[in-house]
Amino acid sequence: MSTAVQTDLDVVVIGAGFAGLAMLHRVRESGFDARVYEAGDGVGGTWYWNRYPGARTDSECYYYCLSFSKELVEEWSWSERYPGQPEMLRYLDFVADKFDLRKDIRFGTRVTSATFDESSNTWEVATDTGERVRSRFVITGLGLLTAPHIPDFRGLDSFAGDTYLTCRWPAEGVDLTGKRVGIIGTGATGVQAIPIIAEQAAQLTVFQRTPNYVVPAQNRPMEPDEIADLKARHYEILAKARNHSFAMPFDPGHGPTAEFSEEERQRIYEEGWASGGFRFLFETFDDIILDEAANESAAEFIRSKIRGIVHDPETAELLSPRGYPYAGKRPPAGHDYYEAYNRDTVSLVDISKAPIQEITPTGLRTADATYEFDVLILATGFDAVTGALTSIDIRGRDGLTLKEKWADGPSTYLGLTVHDFPNLFTISGPGSPFANIPVCIEKNVEWIGNALDHARKSGVEVVEATAEAEADWDRQVQEVVSGTLLTQGAKVHSWFTGANIPGKKPVVNVWFGGANNYFAACDAVAERGYEGLTLTR
Ligand code: NA7
């Protein structure tokens, strides 16, 4: 451990995406001396790194944004219902400039370790640029989907063409015109990238292990009247989102599926399909993620749409998910996704039964065939939720690392704090909701900001979750999901069970008990004087 401490800070924030920017602003408003460390050369987090063709939000613009400043809400206007990555990045740049956040951000600087010093109750934070700082609090804003997952394909380095990772796509773009492209991965990323790549490439081969349930997003430009109306109602919309189980300002569904005739169901599904994206899941029927028959009914509707769109019946069948529930994996939103397979230049290879055996200098080889291409694209996902946190050497009491503590699955209190890791706060940490992220982030930011204010006012030096409160929260995280179909994602490598990473113990790592209920639980803890946390003067 270095003793060359150069600076004393109240707060170190790791990451300059939505979470880090909002957190920096919040603690600065309270007069804390704060610094953000960001590995990228600019702000944006997820929206800085994920520049692949077709990258855009799966949530609508007017609630996938920050709300802490009325002026910001007033000044920024979105151009599309689902903003593309360049627009999202422009937005976060605008936020950074408007609130003069950059002066407290160290870009191009990765935090390598954070060590809690029990003698001074401070954190010693070290970076890959050689900085060492001592801070009272450390707050992580690392994002849920940050640490790339690159499967251990034999021969990956032998490929003679260019290989690209979607989440590390070059900022200057890649010209795929006339190229033969192979892409592995058909999650939310692959589903967005495939139709755009298909427009450019001479030939695109898609390697699919598990088909997804893809509902079209129904993107369109935003109209001036609509923008004005949404701005005027922003805080009403936010209140509605905060009251929704997935933090989206949606209306409830029509009720339980079984209460409707087949004809009525089809009409409601069609309406949901036309509304687009997550609205299909949440505004059609209320029991899709709870009841197997209801889920199968919605799933079959989606399969019927696939059969209607994709001309080749064999391809349509390969694209049709079976054997796991709709929403058992995080469902992607499509932009002419299925339509892309009607191009003569796009072919789909099922690697579920004949897996990839090795990457070769000219392409890849599965158990029963070889394929050739010039460019290989990996859209293979992330070591989600815990991966970014455990990639930093974070040491709490008695030198315990977060990686050791979470060897059998993550454990937190409210997804925000960890026993044995005092004065550490994790925005959107494991055990916090997987829901519309900016809304969840801002609730976390408010809660942490208020906790820090409270600590300072009361002369508290150490804030730490009790072991009991943490165990109780972990139990609740597992309990609330057990009555849903979401646990079944484990059998199809869903990242929210950790099952997409070979060797990672499958355990549901996010809160599925309703974002609204989660927000209420966090508020109640604060109102009761930070119940479940030890506050030491
Ligand atoms: P996902 O949703 O985890 O998708 C990763 C894809 O990569 C998925 O189709 C995987 O197939 C595939 N994959 C992963 N490993 C392999 C191996 N070894 N062989 C073949 N195929 C593989 O990540 P995304 O980036 O698309 O989306 C992540 C989140 O970002 C998304 O949920 C949104 O919240 C935004 P599998 O399905 O595991 O069979």
Side-chain angles (χ1 to χ4, degrees):
M1 186 193 312
S2 167
T3 50
V5 176
Q6 292 171 350
T7 319
D8 282 324
L9 292 163
D10 299 318
V11 180
V12 160
V13 178
I14 314 178
F18 266 99
L21 295 179
M23 196 73 242
L24 174 62
H25 178 261
R26 174 64 183 81
V27 292
R28 272 195 350 198
E29 288 285 284
S30 280
F32 288 107
D33 192 8
R35 180 177 303 159
V36 175
Y37 289 105
E38 166 55 55
D41 290 328
V43 302
T46 287
W47 300 102
Y48 172 90
W49 296 106
N50 285 271
R51 297 166 189 250
Y52 60 85
R56 62 177 67 248
T57 67
D58 279 353
S59 295
E60 293 152 281
C61 55
Y62 62 94
Y63 54 87
Y64 191 92
C65 58
L66 293 166
S67 302
F68 67 76
S69 156
K70 280 187 183 159
E71 258 183 45
L72 172 63
V73 171
E74 197 45 51
E75 286 172 18
W76 183 266
S77 299
W78 297 103
S79 71
E80 285 183 279
R81 187 181 180 197
Y82 301 91
Q85 177 273 335
E87 186 170 11
M88 242 17 253
L89 195 54
R90 278 201 301 279
Y91 171 70
L92 292 168
D93 273 327
F94 179 79
V95 171
D97 291 336
K98 178 170 174 59
F99 300 101
D100 195 15
L101 298 176
R102 290 179 210 277
K103 67 173 189 235
D104 290 319
I105 307 175
R106 293 271 201 280
F107 292 106
T109 308
R110 188 176 287 279
V111 170
T112 50
S113 70
T115 309
F116 189 70
D117 172 12
E118 294 186 62
S119 65
S120 62
N121 291 325
T122 56
W123 284 92
E124 289 190 12
V125 176
T127 74
D128 63 354
T129 56
E131 268 193 64
R132 299 278 183 279
V133 290
R134 186 180 289 269
S135 175
R136 176 70 65 201
F137 297 100
V138 169
I139 306 173
T140 62
L142 292 164
L144 282 81
L145 298 147
T146 304
H149 165 53
I150 304 174
D152 191 14
F153 292 124
R154 184 149 49 102
L156 188 54
D157 289 342
S158 74
F159 183 61
D162 293 326
T163 304
Y164 297 100
L165 204 54
T166 44
C167 60
R168 293 290 178 273
W169 201 261
E172 64 279 13
V174 180
D175 185 6
L176 295 170
T177 316
K179 300 271 182 197
R180 295 173 307 162
V181 179
I183 184 166
I184 304 173
T186 55
T189 299
V191 163
Q192 287 186 339
I194 284 162
I196 308 295
I197 295 170
E199 286 171 9
Q200 303 168 8
Q203 190 189 311
L204 174 63
T205 311
V206 179
F207 297 93
Q208 171 191 272
R209 190 166 67 178
T210 313
N212 262 300
Y213 295 94
V214 183
V215 172
Q218 312 289 13
N219 195 22
R220 56 172 172 75
M222 295 293 283
E223 302 298 335
D225 289 358
E226 186 185 19
I227 294 174
D229 171 59
L230 291 167
K231 283 185 184 182
R233 293 190 298 111
H234 182 82
Y235 289 93
E236 186 192 314
I237 293 166
L238 177 67
K240 192 171 175 183
R242 287 182 167 186
N243 203 24
H244 184 266
S245 51
F246 284 84
M248 297 179 190
F250 287 177
D251 292 325
H254 293 255
T257 309
E259 286 182 6
F260 293 80
S261 69
E262 190 51 40
E263 198 185 339
E264 285 167 326
R265 281 186 212 172
Q266 292 300 313
R267 180 183 55 77
I268 291 168
Y269 289 139
E270 288 289 357
E271 279 173 16
W273 189 264
S275 299
F278 294 126
R279 289 185 186 269
F280 180 86
L281 177 58
F282 297 121
E283 293 191 329
T284 52
F285 298 103
D286 295 323
D287 51 358
I288 292 178
I289 60 171
L290 302 173
D291 181 83
E292 282 197 30
N295 192 286
E296 178 52 26
S297 168
E300 187 46 37
F301 177 83
I302 297 173
R303 288 183 211 117
S304 73
K305 285 290 188 189
I306 300 171
R307 290 191 291 271
I309 297 169
V310 179
H311 301 158
D312 173 40
E314 216 173 293
T315 305
E317 183 51 32
L318 277 183
L319 287 165
S320 298
R322 296 190 190 275
Y324 77 96
Y326 167 43
K329 289 168 90 78
R330 195 302 214 152
H335 301 263
D336 293 330
Y337 176 63
Y338 292 122
E339 287 81 350
Y341 292 92
N342 289 334
R343 288 175 182 265
D344 294 341
T345 50
V346 177
S347 53
L348 181 65
V349 176
D350 174 19
I351 50 167
S352 64
K353 291 178 200 78
I356 295 169
Q357 299 221 319
E358 68 173 330
I359 309 292
T360 66
T362 53
L364 67 76
R365 192 167 61 75
T366 67
D368 57 13
T370 56
Y371 301 89
E372 297 207 334
F373 36 83
D374 312 309
V375 176
L376 171 62
I377 298 174
L378 299 175
T380 43
F382 301 89
D383 182 359
V385 188
T386 56
L389 280 156
T390 55
S391 72
I392 302 173
D393 184 15
I394 299 178
R395 288 172 192 260
R397 292 195 188 281
D398 298 323
L400 178 70
T401 67
L402 211 47
K403 201 172 181 175
E404 287 161 354
K405 164 134 184 162
W406 290 352
D408 285 331
S411 175
T412 68
Y413 181 41
L414 301 171
L416 282 166
T417 59
V418 187
H419 178 64
D420 275 332
F421 293 78
N423 295 356
L424 171 73
F425 295 95
T426 51
I427 301 171
S428 297
S432 72
F434 177 55
N436 176 36
I437 294 292
V439 168
C440 296
I441 283 174
E442 282 205 276
K443 280 296 286 185
N444 276 183
V445 164
E446 278 174 24
W447 192 94
I448 296 168
N450 292 342
L452 263 51
D453 289 348
H454 176 80
R456 184 175 54 188
K457 200 173 74 203
S458 342
V460 165
E461 247 188 29
V462 187
V463 180
E464 182 179 3
T466 66
E468 297 72 30
E470 183 174 289
D472 187 53
W473 186 252
D474 293 340
R475 182 187 55 72
Q476 289 187 55
V477 168
Q478 299 309 318
E479 212 170 82
V480 291
V481 78
S482 64
T484 75
L485 302 174
L486 302 173
T487 48
Q488 293 191 30
K491 60 184 180 194
V492 278
H493 327 107
S494 161
W495 63 256
F496 50 63
T497 65
N500 63 324
I501 303 297
K504 198 169 175 178
K505 191 176 163 191
V507 45
V508 173
N509 51 31
V510 283
W511 168 264
F512 277 125
N516 47 349
N517 297 327
Y518 169 82
F519 300 150
C522 292
D523 290 346
V525 164
E527 277 157 25
R528 292 193 210 111
Y530 297 94
E531 188 180 51
L533 292 152
T534 307
L535 308 180
T536 312
R537 288 191 170 79

